[in-house]
């Protein structure tokens, strides 16, 4: 039996790629889309897939197994809460949620016993980059993160950079890095700081999603680097999550908690 999917944000760069992925996947069925403008999606019109401005209508009167949301945090939060309250599982690539929003989603997913996966990065290679960085940070504790994205990205630093720092913090004690009397001649020159880990955000046209995690030790450097060249790189992670979300009755944050690194 096919998995019945609604996509929010089908006109977007991620959303349009997700539409193609769902249409190509034999056991997935795209039953509706949510788009605040509802215009100009010829692929959907050709296939007779309805597009709704109001998410309530997309979920009403049809079986929906999974919502894939690729929009902006504010809209996505409302879509997710509405879907979970209808026991519709969620696979969310949208970034920029506040900690409070994540906690609200966690609470509603648990209360409704409905699976939800939020992943700031669905590229398998990026997950491996974070995993390898967490191993490296046990041994090389001086670390800085440089993330680079296209200039239409709203949030900085990226969800992936924040997540990488969070993972590193689980294996590394708080540490002040750099010179003890360091002075920022231009404010922000040393980037954002999370528990001593400096995070630098670059925004330029031509970039997609890139990150380097640089470790320094006496007389040595280790760089763990990942590049997403296009948005197809995120689709395998979404596909895996759509299948895995059926096994969940709560929120799982991060694709690394869905992938099996051991077997
Ligand atoms: P995008 O091209 O700007 O697309 C965003 C879509 O969301 C557009 O269709 C946009 O419609 C819609 N939207 C914007 N504001 C909205 C609102 N208030 N209500 C409803 N819909 C709204 O962005 P993108 O590159 O596809 O990225 C989409 C999201 O995925 C972002 O949060 C991005 O950070 C995230 N992302 C995640 C991953 C991952 O692996 N998890 C990878 C890349 C990007 P309009 O055209 O009308 O504004």
């Amino acid at each position: 039996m096919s998995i019945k999917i609604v996509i929010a944000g089908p006109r977007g760069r991620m959303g349009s790629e997700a539409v193609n992925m769902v249409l190509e996947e034999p056991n997935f069925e795209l039953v509706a889309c949510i788009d605040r403008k509802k215009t100009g999606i010829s692929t959907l019109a050709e296939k007779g897939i309805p597009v709704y401005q109001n998410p309530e209508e997309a979920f009403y009167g049809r079986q929906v197994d999974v919502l894939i949301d690729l929009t902006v945090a504010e809209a996505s939060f409302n879509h997710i809460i509405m879907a979970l309250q209808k026991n519709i599982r969620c696979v969310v690539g949208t970034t920029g949620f506040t900690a409070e929003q994540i906690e609200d989603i966690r609470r509603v997913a648990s209360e409704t016993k409905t699976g939800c996966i939020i992943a700031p990065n669905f590229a398998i290679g990026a997950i491996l980059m974070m995993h390898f960085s967490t191993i490296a940070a046990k041994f090389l504790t001086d670390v800085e993160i440089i993330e680079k994205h296209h200039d239409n990205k709203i949030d900085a630093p990226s969800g992936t950079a924040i997540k990488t720092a969070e993972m590193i913090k689980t294996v590394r004690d708080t540490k002040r890095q750099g010179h003890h009397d360091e002075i920022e001649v231009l404010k922000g020159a040393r980037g954002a700081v999370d528990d001593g880990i400096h995070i630098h955000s670059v925004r330029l046209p031509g970039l997609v999603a890139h990150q380097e995690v640089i470790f320094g030790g006496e007389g040595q450097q280790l760089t763990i680097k990942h590049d997403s060249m296009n948005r197809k790189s995120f689709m395998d992670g979404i596909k895996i999550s759509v299948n895995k979300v059926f096994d969940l009755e709560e929120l799982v944050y991060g694709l690394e908690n869905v992938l099996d690194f051991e077997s």
Side-chain angles (χ1 to χ4, degrees), residues 17 23 71 74 84 124 188:
E17 207 58 73
L23 291 175
T71 58
E74 195 189 334
L84 291 175
I124 309 282

Side-chain angles (χ1 to χ4, degrees), residues 8-16 34-38 53 69-76 79 92-96 118-123 149-150 152-155 159-160 208-209 228 231 233-235 238:
R11 245 181 326 108
R13 285 158 297 187
M14 283 289 281
S16 53
I34 302 166
D35 185 336
R36 67 169 172 173
K37 287 188 188 146
K38 202 190 165 185
Q53 285 172 294
D69 194 291
L70 299 158
T71 58
V72 293
E74 195 189 334
S76 182
H79 298 159
V92 181
T94 306
T95 60
I118 300 179
N121 200 320
F122 275 117
H149 281 83
H150 57 89
N152 284 319
K153 186 168 177 60
I154 292 171
D155 49 319
T160 304
V208 179
S228 276
R231 285 166 182 82
S233 62
F234 303 111
M235 295 304 129
I238 295 183

